[in-house]
């Protein structure tokens, strides 16, 4: 090593220095990196659980068993970290009685996850956590229970930005507006998140959000549930719900983005018994005996024709949006792998067949070319995925029973492992507002989020949090949407295309400096400036950007609190980002 250091000290030719320095770090840096921290379950503090060793393949002196649905039965780890940082947490577990859920609490912040069914011991990704130096506490238990825990592992995390997928829709005949909307979603992926809100007939949640934030969501999410023929047979009246969604989409020069889902009441065989199997809950597996696998197997049968009848009824509504040149983020057959909806009750194979039937019926038979197909995934269940040819975006629905919203990095990481660079990933439903600080820290750049409506969800969010999220500089609302129908409206300039992975942090900023980081395709000289709400220049630096990674720092010591615009200029072109400064 001393010989190599002497060589490095004598080299003054940049190319040689870079090569030898790289050799040095490849050879010796791993030894200096922090080692993983392994927390054996049998060494933790056990509450209502016991150590066992009868199942082979465990680490250490045993594993912990006896977990059930109560979080009171848990194993608790208290440990010291030598340095603060972001750590990736993984859990080695066993599920001898099938798939199970669990609850994880890290320094008081709860999250939940799933242990898939494995033979022997397997490993689950628990997510990423920002941990301080010194004492830390992790507790694991509850969920669905009845699993074994071998150990928890913590490793220093290197979090990449998500890779952008191709701007190619599954429908080659998609309308121009639909293609341009998808292009816009790809352009902002990894740097901004679209604010969304789920709407239902009885409530006016978008109005509620506007009242408490001064903003409309960028994505209005609506449900075609009442158009299900079996609901209409019982007297359901949609009362122009599609027209209401269309009217919202036309706000602000028609820039509103529409998402449509369909809680599909089973076409027939509704149980219609109280208390929880009445006709209006016929989308639940518990409320119907309809066997769609059998219906799909008999294409000449009456039940197969009922499937087509129902899809055709929804096509009537979707055509209203196409007639108004409104693209739709179309999210049917959601949460199938959970099994609680009838379209998931017969397993992955029949579900995928039903998805493909609907895709063909709407796209080819009804010539609906305004649909962007959004598949709602379940964690670590790729066998349910219909296939790239039938899906444009992958979403996940997350409801965590916790007062403090988790960072959702575990769910994000699992989907990125399956779809990074292939599909956009979105938070299609959530019970809690995502925290923008977590999004920036853990790079969980969901394409959009949509909070479920009602007293248990949207209206349970603190109004201060609702206002903060919808006014965050990295959360896009309706008033901030560009005219995405025009090709190149977002990244039309050569400068925007030349600067990829553009990040501005911290944002909101409350320190002495603001940092702009970007990847430049080629060397260039640019001016980076900060401007106040009136357009007056606050501070400015000239930067010589190199090909590759660049960082530019702007001083903030004398900058008062407020909303600013960061401008990167080259000649007559500029790229802008909104920045919030807090003091």
């Amino acid at each position: 090593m001393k010989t190599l250091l002497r060589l490095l000290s004598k080299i003054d030719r940049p190319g040689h220095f870079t090569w030898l320095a790289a050799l040095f770090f490849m050879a010796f840096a791993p030894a200096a990196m922090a080692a993983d921290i392994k927390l054996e379950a049998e060494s933790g503090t056990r509450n209502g659980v016991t150590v066992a060793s009868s199942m082979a393949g465990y680490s250490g002196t045993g594993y912990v068993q006896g977990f059930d649905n109560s979080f009171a039965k848990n194993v608790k780890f208290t440990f010291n970290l030598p340095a603060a940082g972001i750590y990736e947490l993984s859990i080695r577990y066993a599920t001898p009685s099938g798939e199970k859920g669990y609850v994880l609490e890290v320094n008081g912040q709860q999250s939940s996850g799933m242990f898939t069914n494995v033979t022997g011991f397997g490993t689950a990704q628990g997510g990423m956590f920002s941990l301080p130096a010194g004492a830390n506490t992790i507790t694991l238990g509850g969920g669905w229970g009845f699993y074994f825990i071998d150990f928890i592992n913590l490793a220093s995390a290197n979090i990449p930005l998500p890779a952008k997928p191709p701007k190619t829709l599954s429908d080659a005949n998609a309308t121009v507006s639909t293609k341009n909307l998808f292009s816009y979603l790809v352009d902002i992926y990894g740097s901004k998140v679209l604010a969304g809100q789920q709407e239902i007939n009885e409530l006016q949640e978008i109005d509620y959000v506007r009242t408490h934030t001064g903003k409309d969501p960028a994505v209005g999410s609506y449900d075609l549930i009442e158009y299900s023929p079996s609901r209409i047979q019982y007297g359901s009246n949609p009362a122009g719900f599609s027209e209401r969604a269309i009217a919202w989409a036309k706000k602000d020069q028609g820039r509103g983005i529409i998402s449509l889902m369909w809680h599909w009441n089973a076409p027939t065989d509704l149980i219609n018994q109280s208390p929880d199997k009445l006709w209006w809950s016929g989308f639940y597996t518990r409320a119907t005996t309809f066997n769609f696998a059998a219906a799909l197997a008999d294409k000449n049968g009456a039940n197969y024709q009922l499937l087509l009848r129902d899809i055709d009824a929804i096509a009537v509504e979707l055509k209203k949006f196409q007639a108004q040149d409104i693209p739709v983020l179309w999210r049917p057959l959601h949460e199938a792998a959970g099994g609680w909806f009838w379209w998931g009750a017969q397993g992955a194979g029949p579900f995928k067949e039903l998805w493909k039937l609907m895709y063909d019926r709407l796209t080819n038979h009804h010539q609906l070319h305004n649909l962007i197909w959004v598949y709602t995934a379940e964690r670590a269940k790729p066998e349910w995925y219909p296939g790239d040819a039938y899906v444009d975006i992958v979403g996940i629905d997350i409801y965590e029973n916790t007062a403090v919203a988790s960072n959702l990095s575990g769910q994000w990481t699992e989907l990125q492992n399956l779809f990074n660079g292939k599909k956009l990933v979105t938070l299609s439903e959530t019970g809690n507002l995502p925290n923008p600080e977590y999004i920036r820290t853990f790079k969980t750049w969901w394409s959009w989020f949509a909070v479920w409506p009602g007293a248990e969800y949207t209206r349970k969010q603190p109004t201060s949090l609702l206002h903060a999220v919808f006014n965050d500089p990295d959360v896009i609302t309706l008033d901030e949407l560009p005219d995405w129908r025009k090709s190149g409206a977002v990244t039309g300039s050569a400068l925007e295309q030349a600067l990829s992975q553009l990040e501005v942090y911290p944002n909101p900023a409350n320190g002495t400096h603001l940092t702009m980081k970007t990847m430049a395709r080629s060397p260039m000289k640019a001016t980076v400036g900060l401007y106040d709400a009136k357009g007056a220049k606050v501070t400015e630096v000239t930067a010589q950007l190199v090909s590759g990674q660049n960082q530019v720092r702007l001083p903030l010591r004398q900058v008062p609190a407020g909303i600013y615009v960061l401008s990167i200029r080259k000649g007559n072109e500029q790229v802008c980002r909104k920045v919030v400064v807090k003091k």
Side-chain angles (χ1 to χ4, degrees), residues 201-273:
N201 275 342
E202 295 83 4
L203 299 175
Q204 296 183 346
E205 298 296 75
I206 291 178
D207 291 346
Y208 177 86
V209 168
R210 186 188 310 114
T211 298
H212 289 87
T213 69
K215 300 273 192 175
D216 265 63
V219 179
S221 183
Y222 295 80
D223 191 347
L224 299 180
I225 179 173
E226 301 299 344
Y227 292 98
S228 300
S230 67
R231 293 177 78 90
I232 292 176
Q233 289 168 2
Y234 277 92
S236 175
N237 181 12
F241 192 64
S242 293
E243 287 73 17
R244 182 173 149 199
I246 289 170
W248 180 84
K250 289 184 174 181
K251 293 186 66 172
D252 276 25
Q253 293 80 48
R255 291 180 293 173
I257 300 171
I258 287 290
S259 173
L260 293 179
M261 63 186 302
W262 180 24
H263 278 91
W264 185 355
N265 238 51
T268 187
D269 299 329
L270 302 179
I271 295 174
N272 198 23
Q273 294 178 0

Side-chain angles (χ1 to χ4, degrees), residues 118-327:
V118 294
T119 301
F121 284 93
T123 301
Q125 298 298 319
M128 290 171 286
F129 298 89
S130 181
L131 303 179
N136 289 266
T137 301
I138 297 174
T139 307
L140 192 154
W144 297 359
F146 308 106
Y147 45 77
F148 301 159
I149 299 299
D150 187 14
F151 62 82
I152 285 178
N153 190 77
L154 292 169
S156 294
N158 179 22
I159 312 174
L161 287 170
K164 296 179 187 290
K167 294 183 177 182
T168 305
L169 288 168
S170 58
D171 178 10
N173 296 315
T175 66
V176 171
S177 292
T178 305
K179 290 179 180 178
N180 287 341
L181 172 58
F182 188 67
S183 176
Y184 169 63
L185 296 179
V186 174
D187 282 338
I188 66 170
Y189 190 54
S191 62
K192 299 291 179 183
V193 174
L194 295 170
Q197 176 59 51
Q198 182 68 42
E199 187 72 281
I200 57 176
N201 275 342
E202 295 83 4
L203 299 175
Q204 296 183 346
E205 298 296 75
I206 291 178
D207 291 346
Y208 177 86
V209 168
R210 186 188 310 114
T211 298
H212 289 87
T213 69
K215 300 273 192 175
D216 265 63
V219 179
S221 183
Y222 295 80
D223 191 347
L224 299 180
I225 179 173
E226 301 299 344
Y227 292 98
S228 300
S230 67
R231 293 177 78 90
I232 292 176
Q233 289 168 2
Y234 277 92
S236 175
N237 181 12
F241 192 64
S242 293
E243 287 73 17
R244 182 173 149 199
I246 289 170
W248 180 84
K250 289 184 174 181
K251 293 186 66 172
D252 276 25
Q253 293 80 48
R255 291 180 293 173
I257 300 171
I258 287 290
S259 173
L260 293 179
M261 63 186 302
W262 180 24
H263 278 91
W264 185 355
N265 238 51
T268 187
D269 299 329
L270 302 179
I271 295 174
N272 198 23
Q273 294 178 0
S274 62
D276 63 347
K277 299 177 182 179
L278 292 169
W279 63 266
W280 48 262
S281 60
F283 49 88
Y284 284 119
T285 300
R286 67 171 188 260
T288 179
T289 60
F290 181 64
N291 187 320
F292 76 95
L296 290 169
D298 182 11
K299 292 182 171 48
N300 295 316
N303 282 354
Y304 184 83
Q305 295 306 312
L306 288 177
L307 287 174
L308 298 183
R309 177 205 66 180
D310 284 17
I311 296 171
D312 291 349
I314 294 304
V316 171
E317 302 309 311
L318 294 173
K319 287 178 180 178
K320 295 177 181 177
F321 291 84
Q322 182 162 272
Q324 298 291 327
D325 192 27
I326 298 174

Side-chain angles (χ1 to χ4, degrees), residues 37-41 64 67 75 77 88-95 100-106 111-116 118 120-129 138-141 147-155 379 410 414:
I37 297 171
K38 189 175 183 181
L39 306 172
E40 292 283 359
V64 173
F67 300 94
V75 59
F77 307 88
E88 186 172 0
L89 186 152
S90 60
I91 308 166
R92 185 165 169 80
Y93 71 95
T95 50
K100 300 297 176 185
Y102 68 88
V103 176
L104 185 70
E105 185 175 279
V106 179
S111 60
S112 60
M114 296 297 301
F115 293 140
T116 57
V118 294
F121 284 93
T123 301
Q125 298 298 319
M128 290 171 286
F129 298 89
I138 297 174
T139 307
L140 192 154
Y147 45 77
F148 301 159
I149 299 299
D150 187 14
F151 62 82
I152 285 178
N153 190 77
L154 292 169
R379 296 176 61 174
E414 287 190 5

Side-chain angles (χ1 to χ4, degrees), residues 16 81 168 189 196 365 388 408 411 427 523 568:
H16 286 192
L81 283 177
T168 305
Y189 190 54
H365 179 79
D388 292 344
L408 309 180
Q411 297 94 326
L427 185 56
I568 306 167

